[in-house]
Amino acid sequence: MIPIIDSKRQYATIGAEIEKAVCEVLRSGSYILGPNVKALEAELAKYIGCNYTVGLNSGTDALHIALRALDIGVGDEVITTAFTFVATTESIEIVGATPVFFFFFPDTFNIDADKIENLITPRTKAIMPVHLYGQPCDMDKIMDIAKRHNLYVIEDCCQAIGAKYKGQNVGTFGDIGCYSFYPTKNLGGMGDGGLITVNSENLKNRIIALRNHGGAIRYHHDEVGVNSRLDEIQAAILRVKLNYIDEWNNSRRNHALTYNELLADCTDIQTPKELADTHCVYHQYTVKIPNRDEIHKMLQESGIGAMLYYPIPLHMQKVHAHLGYKMGDLPITEKNTEMVISLPMFPELTLEEQKTVASTLISCIEKSKALV
């Protein structure tokens, strides 16, 4: 079996460091918003290239609190994608705003910035681009549109830590950037965790208050907040892993190049493409193939841990039925969700495993064609 991701292999290489860091927290008696959270926030601000970061308990809360901090709520619209994990639009609905779905480039699965202005109305308050699978969006165009229309930009970087656009880290272009430390992420904890990046001190202070029951001073509550504090143990784990993130991301990029070469001769496989001036970190390596569902089943039966992200676009999910979208409203999105499949991708993946994945995928495609 070749899994889609293998966290045990990563732990085998850095487990001693992780255990040492965790035991130090346990012995310290400081478990909530302690020195590791503060240190991680500073280290990530330096790494990402922003003035401030705020640790939270999940990427979903990062998105939700970002919207709250910008006073986006009932009656407002947020332009975003229908091809991503539900946390993106869930956060918009949590604050009472309405997600408005855009078209995307079929080659990169990211926002088609040229189509954004067609969706702007007097109720539009923000654009929420998603750097899906670790591929940066075209931030120059997005920021230009936002500036001309006086809109906020909240970057969903939950799959994209270390990804760059024109040499600049994602999460530093918009008003707020949002990250996830879910265990399967490129920088993943051993539990939930999230982060917000921001350059405004006023926004930073409000986010800090919102994550801690709406108050900057203990027992002084200025607004309704939440309990969304990054755990001290997770912060200690992430500080260890942060030392390796560039190495791991480079390994992912090398694996992507290897897959590209191994799959190049199969015309039925469309491999991922990077936009010019972008540095993708390949949270997932996602290809497009015909007869996807049938081939996915064949791969699983052959011991290849391929995954389908995300088979039902968000405008067709029951949770968003009240928005009134119907099948055919986003034809490019709908077509692509029927074709995409993600192959095993993690830093410790071996060349032999990649060769097995590639040859098995090509064999399954040929078998599928023969059955037609």
Side-chain angles (χ1 to χ4, degrees):
M1 175 71 181
I2 302 175
I4 187 76
I5 185 173
D6 191 344
S7 300
K8 291 181 179 179
R9 295 192 205 181
Q10 186 181 92
Y11 186 74
T13 64
I14 61 170
E17 292 180 75
I18 295 290
E19 291 171 10
K20 181 175 181 292
V22 170
C23 286
E24 287 175 355
V25 173
L26 296 178
R27 287 192 293 265
S28 75
S30 179
Y31 306 134
I32 301 293
L33 296 181
N36 279 289
V37 171
K38 294 177 182 177
L40 178 67
E41 289 173 339
E43 290 160 7
L44 280 168
K46 181 179 180 180
Y47 175 79
I48 295 170
C50 60
N51 290 342
Y52 311 102
T53 72
V54 181
L56 303 165
N57 74 2
S58 70
T60 305
D61 265 7
L63 294 163
H64 162 221
I65 290 174
L67 291 158
R68 284 282 311 278
L70 296 172
D71 292 316
I72 296 171
V74 177
D76 297 327
E77 294 177 349
V78 179
I79 298 173
T80 192
T81 178
F83 187 55
T84 185
F85 184 57
V86 71
T88 305
T89 49
E90 186 177 50
S91 66
I92 297 168
E93 297 259 18
I94 285 172
V95 300
T98 300
V100 176
F101 297 116
F102 54 61
F103 291 96
F104 66 84
F105 284 119
D107 289 346
T108 65
F109 312 115
N110 278 340
I111 182 172
D112 184 349
D114 293 328
K115 303 290 197 305
I116 292 175
E117 288 187 279
N118 297 334
L119 300 174
I120 295 173
T121 74
R123 295 182 297 278
T124 306
K125 195 75 171 286
I127 306 168
M128 187 181 283
V130 179
H131 305 292
L132 196 70
Y133 302 144
Q135 170 73 269
C137 297
D138 188 343
M139 292 309 300
D140 278 353
K141 287 184 179 180
I142 293 170
M143 294 309 300
D144 176 66
I145 292 167
K147 183 177 181 180
R148 287 190 284 108
H149 292 273
N150 195 30
L151 302 176
Y152 293 118
V153 174
I154 301 167
E155 295 179 68
D156 184 337
C157 311
C158 289
Q159 300 182 4
I161 190 162
K164 296 178 177 64
Y165 176 79
K166 293 187 175 180
Q168 181 177 336
N169 273 292
V170 299
T172 61
F173 293 90
D175 298 276
I176 296 177
C178 301
Y179 291 82
S180 169
F181 299 134
Y182 188 75
T184 60
K185 304 297 185 184
N186 293 32
L187 180 62
M190 294 178 176
D192 278 316
L195 186 87
I196 275 179
T197 56
V198 68
N199 287 321
S200 163
E201 184 176 10
N202 287 337
L203 271 180
K204 181 260 296 185
N205 290 336
R206 186 168 186 204
I207 291 162
I208 287 174
L210 284 169
R211 79 170 174 185
N212 197 22
H213 301 288
I217 302 172
R218 193 173 189 180
Y219 300 130
H220 291 251
H221 307 284
D222 303 315
E223 60 181 317
V224 175
V226 295
N227 179 6
S228 183
R229 301 170 298 214
L230 180 63
D231 183 86
E232 182 73 2
I233 288 177
Q234 295 305 325
I237 293 168
L238 291 165
R239 290 185 68 199
V240 172
K241 290 192 172 189
L242 182 58
N243 295 320
Y244 299 92
I245 187 60
D246 285 338
E247 176 187 336
W248 291 338
N249 281 343
N250 287 335
S251 292
R252 288 173 179 269
R253 288 182 57 80
N254 289 333
H255 294 338
L257 290 174
T258 299
Y259 270 138
N260 290 346
E261 294 172 0
L262 293 170
L263 301 172
D265 293 334
C266 184
T267 57
D268 290 307
I269 301 173
Q270 182 176 324
T271 55
K273 294 178 173 61
E274 292 188 44
L275 293 174
D277 298 318
T278 64
H279 179 89
C280 179
V281 293
Y282 291 97
H283 173 60
Q284 302 294 343
Y285 182 87
T286 302
V287 300
K288 292 196 290 188
I289 57 174
N291 304 321
R292 191 273 315 275
D293 291 344
E294 181 181 352
I295 292 168
H296 179 228
K297 182 180 178 182
M298 290 181 181
L299 288 171
Q300 289 182 314
E301 291 171 348
S302 300
I304 306 298
M307 289 287 289
L308 307 183
Y309 307 101
Y310 303 91
I312 303 174
L314 293 179
H315 69 294
M316 289 289 99
Q317 294 280 357
K318 183 178 179 181
V319 67
H320 295 314
H322 65 284
L323 298 176
Y325 287 91
K326 61 184 183 299
M327 188 65 72
D329 285 346
L330 298 174
I332 298 175
T333 301
E334 293 157 14
K335 180 180 178 181
N336 278 267
T337 57
E338 296 174 353
M339 299 176 67
V340 294
I341 188 166
S342 297
L343 305 181
M345 172 57 79
F346 50 95
E348 300 80 14
L349 192 65
T350 69
L351 176 59
E352 288 306 311
E353 286 175 323
Q354 286 195 270
K355 289 179 178 179
T356 299
V357 171
S359 62
T360 305
L361 175 59
I362 293 170
S363 176
C364 289
I365 290 173
E366 293 303 316
K367 290 178 183 177
S368 175
K369 290 165 66 176
L371 294 174
V372 175

